[in-house]
Amino acid sequence: TPAQARALLYLQRNPDSSVRQCARVFGVVGSTMSHLVRDLHRKGWITKQHSPQDDRHVLLALSPKGHILIWLLHKQLNVRLPLTAKAS
């Protein structure tokens, strides 16, 4: 979904973000972000680990499978919207 793609792109640029931090960035409540994170984790696209500083916080990052998906997404977007389009 667009929300999942946006979350994956955000995690590519901001690894080890917390669920709370992501919710704040996307302007959603924590429970909404938690559902999105649960789906991404279940699909194997992200990893979750407890913060070393605070065990209550879960840190998110792309999994190897998630990195491949993001690469494919970038490739597909570049075909549809080339960044180096020639002016006519």
Side-chain angles (χ1 to χ4, degrees):
T1 66
Q4 290 175 333
R6 200 169 79 160
L8 292 171
L9 288 167
Y10 177 78
L11 290 173
Q12 178 191 29
R13 293 179 181 97
N14 302 282
D16 297 329
S17 295
S18 69
V19 175
R20 181 181 295 171
Q21 188 177 7
C22 289
R24 202 173 319 122
V25 167
F26 291 117
V28 297
V29 295
S31 60
T32 300
M33 194 70 215
S34 292
H35 288 292
L36 181 65
V37 164
R38 185 173 41 235
D39 289 343
L40 295 174
H41 186 257
R42 186 174 43 229
K43 291 176 180 178
W45 295 338
I46 64 170
T47 61
K48 300 188 316 185
Q49 66 180 15
H50 288 283
S51 168
Q53 289 82 17
D54 187 348
D55 201 38
R56 295 173 294 167
H57 294 282
V58 175
L59 302 179
L60 310 173
L62 290 179
S63 68
K65 187 177 173 181
H67 281 285
I68 292 169
L69 182 63
I70 289 298
W71 179 81
L72 291 171
L73 180 62
H74 280 297
K75 187 175 177 181
Q76 196 173 45
L77 285 173
N78 197 34
V79 168
R80 290 185 184 169
L81 306 167
L83 297 175
T84 57
K86 295 179 183 178
S88 51

